[in-house]
Amino acid sequence: MLQMTAENKSKMIYWASGIVSICGIIFEVLFGALGSYILGDGVKQYTLTISIFLTGMGIGASFSERITKNLILSFVWIEFLVAIIGGFSSFTMFGITAFLPGGSDALFLYMVTFIIGALTGVELPVLIRKANDLGVALNKSTARVLFSDYAGGLIGGLLFVFLLRPEFGMVKTAFFVGLINLSVALFILWMFREEIKGWKKHGFAGISIGVVLIGGLFFGEELAFSFEQKMYRDPIIYMDESKYQKIVLTKDQGDTRLFLNGGLQFSSTDEYRYHEVLVHPVMSQVDSHDQILVLGGGDGLVVRELLKYNDIQNITLVDLDPAVVNLAKNNHHLLNLNENALSHDKVHIIHQDAFQFLESTTRQYDVIIVDLPDPNNEGLNKLYTWEFYSLIRNRLEPTGATMVQATSPVFAPKVYWTISKTIESTGMKVENFHVDIPSFGNWGFVMAGRNPVRTEELVVEVETKFLTSEMIIGLTKFGKDEDSYIEEKGNLLVLKPNTLIDPHLIQKYEDAWNNY
């Protein structure tokens, strides 16, 4: 009977180790997601958080050697700490971002990552030692606890990606997972209560933490929303977290703005300047408008401009995120801007990665318009590489042309001219354009095709708010502060094309925008 009791307690320990490791991996990837959203450069943030978390685990495991008595009570309080610190991590991160100086949010994120990692590192050795104390062979108990830990890690990662982040968001997920840690601690405390002196007072402390976490679960997101509001200039009228990104719509005094992962996509007060330059010069460059491809542009504003050309037979829009397209097709603020363009019978929408689409399609296009977010992470960087632009070249008709948004030649000149150089390295002829957009500043574009760009012959043949035929030549002229980097080095040959193997554009982008 006694042996049976010990065996049952050992099984509880194995289950506890699996559940807390699920929580540990969820916190680890949650911290990476927080860093990616708030600090930018997802690959960098995930790399740092994983490295810091694992370092913390190592230090925690080393420290666990000092815990030789009261193993169950030690485990219980470790879980209490994980619950309260991890549970409030996302909520606190948004508050720090809103109220404290820049850099405080990164410091907090890395500090809390290390602390949770260290506490996680203490958990397993303590549980293994307790399992061994119960009379289970050391090699058997270690193997079982480690199996529970590793299997729990897989389950935690899958839960975060497919359930918790899309359904709960980052704030509720942290509180919810913290409650799971707390529940495991209270369950273990109850099952081993005969070993713990004054177990009721420890249980009361845990229940008190639970009350706070439950409050955070129900009300924390609303408070965090008020914190996040301070990250934006105007009141938030819509916010959603899709499978791919955080979507925020703001509006104030008639100015509607769309943000993806914190980055401004457009302002309704001047978006027409951007979209008219992105669309109409390249449409004038080609003689045929039968087949048009738009990569990105899920807001429908590029398509709005394209539908001004009656001779277009088909517009294929490829946008990864259905949530953005659904917003553009249903939100009345965006419908007023895009004039319900995405519901036109000439428009066919495909939700797929742009790179994968170009690899799989065999159709040729007269015009390809690339309206993608800036290359601030690895996932987007591949859409600014020699390989990607080579695919675009191969999908163009012999007389076709492409127009690519290419960031700012003022704020990020090395980025802009590297993009231009990368496109040119595919063998296409390029022409550079830029325009002043008040909400963005000076913004750049690159037109390219197998044939030279007929700059002097480009005309605007449709109704516009801003662009005229006479202006087009002026858009190709750059000031000294926009191409001084090029002039200092002599020519564009000093810039290397950005490739999948050598993605140096990300670092150039980060260096440039750190100053703004």
Side-chain angles (χ1 to χ4, degrees), residues 321-388:
D321 196 347
V324 174
V325 173
N326 289 336
L327 182 66
K329 294 177 73 172
N330 295 287
N331 183 279
H332 72 276
H333 298 287
L334 295 188
L335 285 172
N336 289 338
L337 287 173
N338 63 37
E339 299 173 7
N340 201 22
L342 296 182
S343 297
H344 197 281
D345 57 10
K346 289 184 179 181
V347 180
H348 299 88
I349 299 171
I350 297 173
H351 296 299
Q352 189 178 2
D353 175 81
F355 200 107
Q356 294 176 356
F357 173 81
L358 290 174
E359 286 183 313
S360 61
T361 187
T362 57
R363 176 172 288 185
Q364 299 295 110
Y365 296 92
D366 299 296
V367 172
I368 298 177
I369 296 176
V370 184
D371 185 23
L372 296 166
D374 288 353
N376 58 11
N377 60 55
E378 290 284 353
L380 290 169
N381 173 78
K382 72 177 183 179
L383 306 179
Y384 289 82
T385 59
W386 176 88
E387 292 83 354
F388 181 71

Side-chain angles (χ1 to χ4, degrees), residues 454-467:
R454 309 187 306 266
T455 311
E456 295 80 4
E457 301 175 21
L458 299 180
V459 295
V460 180
E461 300 176 329
V462 295
E463 183 179 351
T464 58
K465 291 184 178 180
F466 165 71
L467 189 63

Side-chain angles (χ1 to χ4, degrees), residues 30 41 43 102 105 127 157 189 217 226 238 262 376 449:
L30 172 65
D41 191 348
V43 171
D105 45 9
L127 290 176
L189 177 65
L217 183 65
S226 66
Y238 176 87
N376 58 11

Side-chain angles (χ1 to χ4, degrees), residues 24 56 59 61 63-64 69 111 124 166 176 220 256 269 322 376 425 448:
I59 294 174
F63 177 80
S64 71
K69 298 179 180 179
M111 181 179 67
L124 284 187
F176 179 73
T256 301
T269 60
N376 58 11
S425 70

